[in-house]
């Protein structure tokens, strides 16, 4: 009897253990899969993004010159108080803010317009969508050099032969033309991508809603304001977020198109940080600026997302 | 099936990571293996990496590297980053990434300071005795020589002799009033007097140096500027120098604010303007457009005294002691300035004005402008921009661009030049 009981106990235990094992194994398998699929990505993300970011907090309080870390001296808050008195930093922040506002507005309006036009049943719809999206595929540096050529050589040649004042402006040679040159190229590059997002969103609007609104006598403006916009609000959130953060972080166009010139009049914040760290040999100060930059981008984009998210409705 | 697939991927990942690790180990063992002094037998596995600045010689130096490999078996891998690129930033990024090139370029003076850990003492090299004395100055620290001067270069006002004849200018203008007179004659003949450029380095380095070099003691003046004991505003030489700047800027082509270096040289070479402020390094690019162009070199005067051209060592070869093969790098540099092949490349292919007195040159080899530089080098003034730490000349360039575009006036320009120094120097 005792023996039998013992066997039973054993049996029960072994069943328990088996199921426990299976449980552990299945959890384990989930983990294994996640490690296999996410692991490589996580390793790179940790080593390339997270680690430098954390190290950045340390660098930002040193006078590291970018070459010999062993010679870097802890300087406390010296870099931060220096930034407060750095005219170039504040003027490039000013430039970046102006640039962001102007280019975000223009890029999104243009993208929405293009989306509406290309929703209509045009024969060349597919070709046009591809054409407008294409600039986004080309890298910023390359685009910058191509457009530099267009602005300084192409525009000048057109201006010589047609005498249209617009083309005769000293493109990229003055602060104003430099600013608008950057806006033009940035808008040209991003509008196509935003257009695709808007098209996807517009295509998702149920036809009956629009028909109902039309039957109720809604005029095109009312239709746009009260039906289309609320329904594509999620797309607007995404597009505003993407354009705002991209415009704020603009660097490659700046480097290849104007190099911040003439003078420092078109120096974006990202370019200012680059030149502080790599041209002026002040990595510590550059890192401090970059952290400030990170905070600014986060605050601006998060606020924007919160505001536009609130306006989202479901059909 | 799923499991097997996951397993497969895991293995691939492990292999990739292991592969990376192995690569690192190999390069490490390579380092220790070649620390021994160079032997006579060619070592086939040695590669010297050269990180160089002069885009003008990019193709030719690759050919030279091949010649060297043929003769010695040592591979020389050249990377050229200059012209529109920011060489200093790229070199820093290269070193920060863990790659230590055996040989890199450096202007000397203040620019050498951040690299003193890496610069190798070259005082014992066989070529030191034949160097031109002044060319040693930029890389000499505490009596030791840390660099091989790449070459000697000079700049002034390059002019098109045919256009001068056409305008009826018979005598070379050497003072500022004479230059103004020549400008008037050119304008009367319908010729654009100057081809200017908006390049920051031409403005912030070469043009600003004219005022620095004309100081009674440039080195002392610059030290005082950096220490805050002197200012640019209120300096008599700078005041005179602005007259020269105005003569050039006010009589330049219409689209001067959008003209880059390539356009400047191309326009000048095709006869669109009579003069440009540039140096002998433009010869190759001019020859590509019009090799028959008759060229001369005028001094840059700032007042009614005779002006001078500005001659210096643009760059030095520095051997990196933290690299894998510093001894091989020394051997390559020695070969470049002592072997027949190397000498031939320096003068005939690179079209350099050599910094070594034992290398002879001819006008056909190095070009008309270089010959003119050599002719006037006895009275020439010095190059001083490398006495400033990194970032100052960029600040000068930015200020000059604004003055070129007419956005600021003379006083504001001088203020901004002062600020460019203080922005970098003050801690």
């Amino acid at each position: 009897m005792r023996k039998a009981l013992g066997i039973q106990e054993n049996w029960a235990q072994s069943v328990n253990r088996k199921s426990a094992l299976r449980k552990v194994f299945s959890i384990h398998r989930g983990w294994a899969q996640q490690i296999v699929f996410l692991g490589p990505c996580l390793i790179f993300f940790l080593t390339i993004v997270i680690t430098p970011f954390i190290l950045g907090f340390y660098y930002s309080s040193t006078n590291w010159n970018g070459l010999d870390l062993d010679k870097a001296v802890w300087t406390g808050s010296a870099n931060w108080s220096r930034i407060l008195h750095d005219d170039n930093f504040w003027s490039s922040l000013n430039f970046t803010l102006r640039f962001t506002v102007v280019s975000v507005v223009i890029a999104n309006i243009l993208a929405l317009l293009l989306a509406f036009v290309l929703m209509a049943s045009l024969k060349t719809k597919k070709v046009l969508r591809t054409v407008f999206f294409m600039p986004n595929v080309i890298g910023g540096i390359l685009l910058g050099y191509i457009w530099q050529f267009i602005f300084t050589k192409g525009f000048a040649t057109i201006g010589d032969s047609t005498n249209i004042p617009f083309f005769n402006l000293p493109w990229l040679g003055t602060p104003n033309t430099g600013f608008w040159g950057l806006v033009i190229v940035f808008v040209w590059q991003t509008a196509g991508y935003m257009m695709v997002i808007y098209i996807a969103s517009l295509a998702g609007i149920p036809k009956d809603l629009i028909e109902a609104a039309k039957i109720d006598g809604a005029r095109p403006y009312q239709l746009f304001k009260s039906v289309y916009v609320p329904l594509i609000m999620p797309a607007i959130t995404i597009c505003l977020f993407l354009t705002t953060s991209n415009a704020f972080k603009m660097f490659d166009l700046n480097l290849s198109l104007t190099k911040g010139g003439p003078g420092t009049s078109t120096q974006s914040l990202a370019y200012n940080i680059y030149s502080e760290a790599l041209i002026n040999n002040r990595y510590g100060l550059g890192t401090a600026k970059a952290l400030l930059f990170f905070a600014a981008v986060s605050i601006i984009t998060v606020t924007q997302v919160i505001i536009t998210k609130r306006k989202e409705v479901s059909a | 099936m799923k499991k097997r697939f996951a397993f497969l991927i895991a293995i691939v990942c492990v292999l990739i990571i292991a592969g990376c690790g192995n690569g690192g180990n190999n390069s490490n063992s390579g380092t220790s293996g070649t620390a021994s002094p160079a032997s006579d037998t060619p070592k086939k596995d040695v590669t010297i990496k050269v990180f160089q600045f002069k885009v003008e010689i990019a193709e030719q130096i690759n050919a030279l590297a091949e010649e060297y490999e043929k003769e010695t078996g040592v591979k020389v891998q050249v990377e050229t980053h200059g012209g529109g690129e920011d060489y200093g930033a790229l070199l820093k990024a290269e070193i920060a990434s863990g790659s230590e090139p055996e040989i890199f370029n450096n202007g000397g003076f203040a620019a050498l300071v951040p690299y003193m850990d890496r610069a190798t003492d070259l005082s014992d090299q066989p070529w030191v005795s034949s160097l031109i004395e002044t060319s040693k100055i930029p890389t000499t620290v505490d009596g030791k020589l840390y660099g091989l001067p790449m070459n000697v270069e000079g700049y002034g006002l390059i002019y098109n002799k045919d256009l001068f004849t056409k305008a009826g200018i018979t005598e070379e203008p050497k003072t500022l009033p004479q230059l103004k007179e020549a400008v008037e004659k050119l304008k009367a003949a319908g010729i654009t007097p100057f081809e200017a450029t908006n390049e920051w380095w031409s403005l912030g380095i070469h043009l600003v140096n004219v005022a620095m070099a004309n100081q009674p003691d440039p080195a002392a003046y610059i030290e005082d500027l950096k220490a805050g004991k002197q200012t640019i505003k209120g300096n008599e030489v700078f005041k005179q120098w602005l007259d020269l700047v105005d003569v050039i800027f006010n009589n330049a082509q219409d689209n001067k604010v959008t003209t880059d270096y390539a356009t400047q040289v191309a326009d000048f070479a095709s006869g669109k303007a009579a003069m440009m402020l540039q140096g002998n390094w433009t010869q190759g690019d001019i020859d590509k457009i019009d090799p028959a162009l008759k060229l001369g070199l005028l001094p840059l005067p700032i007042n009614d005294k005779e002006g001078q051209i500005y001659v210096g060592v643009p760059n030095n070869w520095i051997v990196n002691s933290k690299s894998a093969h510093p001894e091989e790098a020394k051997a390559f540099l020695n070969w470049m300035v002592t072997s027949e092949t190397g000498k031939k490349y320096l003068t005939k292919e690179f079209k350099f004005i050599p910094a070594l007195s034992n290398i002879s040159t001819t006008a056909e080899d190095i070009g008309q402008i270089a010959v003119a530089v050599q002719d006037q080098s006895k009275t020439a003034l010095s190059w001083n921009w490398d006495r400033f730490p990194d970032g100052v000349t960029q600040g000068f360039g930015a200020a000059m661009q604004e003055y070129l575009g007419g956005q600021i006036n003379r006083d504001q320009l001088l203020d901004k030049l002062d600020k460019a120094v203080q922005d970098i120097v003050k801690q």
Side-chain angles (χ1 to χ4, degrees):
Chain A
M1 194 53 202
R2 255 205 130 127
K3 210 177 174 186
L5 244 171
I7 288 169
Q8 227 170 5
E9 258 172 26
N10 266 350
W11 181 78
Q13 265 179 355
S14 85
V15 166
N16 265 346
R17 204 180 294 146
K18 241 185 196 167
S19 74
L21 250 178
R22 201 172 293 152
K23 224 182 209 167
V24 167
F25 187 69
S26 74
I27 292 171
H28 193 73
R29 201 167 65 164
W31 270 105
Q33 256 179 19
Q34 282 177 22
I35 286 173
V36 166
F37 287 110
L38 289 178
C41 181
L42 193 69
I43 289 171
F44 283 112
F45 187 69
L46 281 175
T47 51
I48 295 174
V49 180
I50 299 296
T51 316
F53 181 75
I54 294 168
L55 285 175
F57 282 96
Y58 166 67
Y59 295 150
S60 67
S61 298
T62 66
N63 65 351
W64 185 30
N65 65 0
L67 280 174
D68 307 288
L69 197 51
D70 47 317
K71 281 197 202 142
V73 176
W74 181 266
T75 57
S77 62
N79 285 336
W80 301 98
S81 62
R82 195 182 175 124
I83 293 174
L84 281 180
H85 303 110
D86 187 341
D87 303 341
N88 278 341
F89 181 76
W90 296 109
S91 70
S92 60
L93 178 67
N94 179 355
F95 168 82
T96 309
L97 286 173
R98 276 189 300 139
F99 174 82
T100 307
V101 170
V102 171
S103 54
V104 165
V105 170
I106 297 181
N108 281 286
I109 290 178
L110 190 69
L112 207 51
L113 271 176
L114 287 175
F116 270 110
V117 170
L118 295 182
M119 280 297 285
S121 48
L122 288 170
K123 259 190 187 165
T124 48
K125 193 162 77 177
K126 278 190 182 153
V127 179
L128 283 178
R129 282 181 188 181
T130 316
V131 167
F132 285 123
F133 182 72
M134 213 110 83
N136 196 64
V137 183
I138 312 171
I141 287 276
L142 197 61
L143 265 186
Y145 283 123
I146 293 171
W147 272 91
Q148 190 190 44
F149 177 79
I150 295 175
F151 278 131
T152 56
K153 302 276 154 56
F155 276 26
T157 314
I158 297 174
D160 280 347
S161 52
T162 60
N163 268 326
I164 299 171
F166 177 80
F167 293 110
N168 276 330
L169 290 173
W171 279 99
L172 306 182
T174 61
N176 272 331
T177 53
F179 177 81
W180 286 104
L182 283 165
V183 169
I184 290 172
V185 182
F186 182 82
V187 167
W188 184 74
Q189 187 189 13
T190 25
Y193 188 30
M194 301 307 134
M195 174 199 74
V196 170
I197 299 177
Y198 283 129
I199 285 178
S201 175
L202 284 172
I205 297 177
K207 288 270 184 322
D208 45 342
L209 272 177
I210 293 165
E211 267 170 33
K214 275 183 183 163
I215 290 168
D216 287 346
R219 267 174 260 158
Y221 170 69
Q222 285 173 316
L223 195 66
F224 175 74
K225 202 193 109 191
S226 309
V227 182
Y228 279 119
V229 169
L231 288 176
I232 59 166
M233 212 55 209
I236 294 179
T237 307
I238 296 170
C239 287
L240 282 182
F241 169 75
L242 285 175
T243 42
T244 310
S245 70
N246 282 345
F248 213 80
K249 292 188 297 185
M250 186 225 3
F251 172 74
D252 43 6
L253 281 183
N254 203 194
L255 179 75
S256 52
L257 206 57
T258 66
K259 284 205 173 66
T264 52
S265 55
T266 63
Q267 198 176 54
S268 74
L269 215 45
Y271 191 83
N272 179 272
I273 292 168
Y274 160 84
S275 68
E276 191 68 73
L278 289 156
I279 295 173
N280 297 354
N281 273 338
R282 291 194 288 230
Y283 246 77
L285 185 57
T287 317
K289 284 182 174 182
L291 287 175
L292 215 57
F293 180 59
F294 169 77
V297 177
S298 316
I299 292 169
I300 291 171
T301 49
V302 168
T303 324
Q304 175 261 317
V305 168
I306 289 172
I307 292 173
T308 46
K309 268 263 180 203
R310 261 191 222 149
K311 303 210 162 142
E312 284 177 20
V313 291
S314 55
Chain B
M1 191 59 214
K2 239 187 203 170
K3 239 161 92 187
R4 209 176 274 173
F5 184 63
F7 182 68
L8 203 77
I9 290 193
I11 285 190
V12 169
C13 288
V14 168
L15 283 179
I16 290 172
I17 292 164
C20 294
N22 268 344
N25 287 344
N26 278 348
S27 67
N28 277 345
S29 63
T31 317
S32 52
T34 45
S36 55
S39 55
D40 294 335
T41 48
K43 278 180 279 185
K44 299 282 182 202
D45 58 332
V46 175
T47 301
I48 309 176
K49 204 168 163 200
V50 180
F51 205 82
Q52 77 103 16
F53 162 84
K54 277 198 90 60
V55 276
E56 291 88 347
I57 59 163
E59 288 162 34
Q60 294 90 327
I61 199 167
N62 279 328
L64 177 70
E66 272 168 39
E67 296 265 5
Y68 188 65
E69 196 185 345
K70 252 186 257 163
E71 281 189 28
T72 61
V74 174
K75 255 206 189 92
V76 180
Q77 188 193 335
V78 186
E79 262 188 63
T80 301
H81 298 283
E85 291 181 276
D86 191 328
Y87 176 81
L90 286 165
L91 176 62
K92 227 168 286 161
E94 177 86 5
I95 289 176
S97 78
S99 154
E100 298 274 358
E102 268 74 11
I103 299 173
F104 58 86
N105 292 155
N106 190 288
F109 296 122
L112 187 60
V113 175
Y115 294 98
M116 275 310 285
D117 279 3
R118 290 184 168 74
T120 312
D121 182 7
L122 301 176
S123 310
D124 59 342
Q125 292 297 301
W127 41 261
V128 173
S129 57
S130 41
L131 276 180
I132 297 170
E133 210 48 48
T134 49
S135 70
K136 293 181 192 170
I137 299 169
T139 54
T140 299
V141 180
D142 298 334
K144 284 179 190 160
L145 184 73
Y146 288 94
L148 166 62
M150 207 183 220
N151 60 331
V152 174
E153 285 187 338
Y155 69 89
L157 283 172
I158 300 176
Y159 74 100
N160 182 326
K161 284 186 175 168
D162 288 342
L163 289 182
F164 266 47
T165 319
K166 212 170 126 193
I169 303 164
T170 46
E171 212 173 307
E172 286 194 343
K174 293 202 164 151
T175 67
L176 196 59
Q178 286 171 355
L179 185 65
K180 283 181 182 163
E181 210 175 294
V183 165
E184 290 311 318
K185 280 186 187 164
L186 285 165
K187 281 205 282 194
I191 299 163
T192 309
F194 292 100
E195 180 79 21
T197 172
N198 67 355
E199 295 281 358
W200 73 268
W201 51 266
S202 177
L203 299 167
I205 289 182
H206 297 147
L207 192 46
V208 172
N209 177 61
V210 173
M212 297 290 172
N214 273 291
Q215 304 292 337
D217 182 351
Y221 177 71
I222 290 169
E223 286 316 310
D224 285 350
L225 268 187
K226 287 194 279 191
K229 289 187 228 155
Q230 270 280 4
T231 54
I232 287 173
K233 198 174 194 177
N235 180 277
E236 193 51 38
V237 179
F238 266 93
K239 214 182 201 173
Q240 296 177 338
W241 165 79
L242 280 171
D243 293 336
L244 169 72
V245 174
D246 282 346
V247 169
I248 297 175
F249 286 4
N250 295 341
N251 297 295
Q253 80 282 19
D254 289 336
N255 58 347
K256 59 184 182 234
V257 291
T258 58
T259 304
D260 62 5
Y261 171 59
T263 314
Q264 181 193 28
V265 176
D267 282 356
F268 174 80
S270 47
K272 287 190 186 158
M275 289 178 270
M276 65 170 176
L277 191 157
Q278 279 297 355
N280 57 291
W281 52 83
T282 56
Q283 185 81 55
D285 287 332
I286 293 174
D287 288 350
K288 275 182 207 156
I289 292 167
D290 187 357
L293 210 61
K294 287 200 202 92
L295 300 170
L297 186 69
L298 296 175
L300 279 162
I302 58 166
N303 49 32
D304 50 11
K305 287 191 207 101
E306 208 167 279
Q308 291 89 2
I309 64 161
Y310 299 83
V311 168
V313 178
N315 238 312
N316 302 278
W317 302 108
I318 309 286
V319 173
N320 182 356
S321 60
K322 291 192 182 174
S323 66
H325 313 291
E327 291 305 321
E328 290 291 348
K330 281 186 197 173
F332 172 64
L333 290 184
N334 187 33
W335 177 83
M336 185 162 70
V337 292
T338 53
S339 75
E340 284 313 309
T341 321
K343 283 185 192 172
K344 194 189 85 192
Y345 266 84
L346 278 183
T347 55
K348 284 191 166 48
E349 300 291 329
F350 298 177
K351 300 194 184 299
F352 277 176
I353 308 169
L356 288 89
S357 51
N358 63 338
I359 303 177
S360 55
T361 57
T362 63
E364 294 87 54
D365 287 347
I366 59 174
Q368 307 166 62
I369 310 171
V371 169
V373 168
Q374 263 186 324
D375 285 349
Q376 300 178 46
S377 60
K378 281 213 181 72
T379 58
L381 294 180
S382 56
W383 290 8
N384 298 284
W385 50 84
D386 283 319
R387 294 182 193 273
F388 289 105
D390 285 350
V392 172
T393 50
Q394 280 87 349
F396 286 163
M400 293 298 288
Q401 280 180 344
E402 289 180 35
Y403 189 66
L404 177 74
Q407 294 143 32
I408 53 174
N409 61 29
R410 282 181 159 211
D411 269 356
Q412 286 167 313
L413 171 66
L414 296 179
D415 277 337
K416 288 213 170 195
L417 293 179
D418 268 324
K419 192 171 171 293
V421 179
Q422 287 312 314
D423 266 355
I424 298 296
V425 172
K426 108 181 150 215
Q427 282 302 324

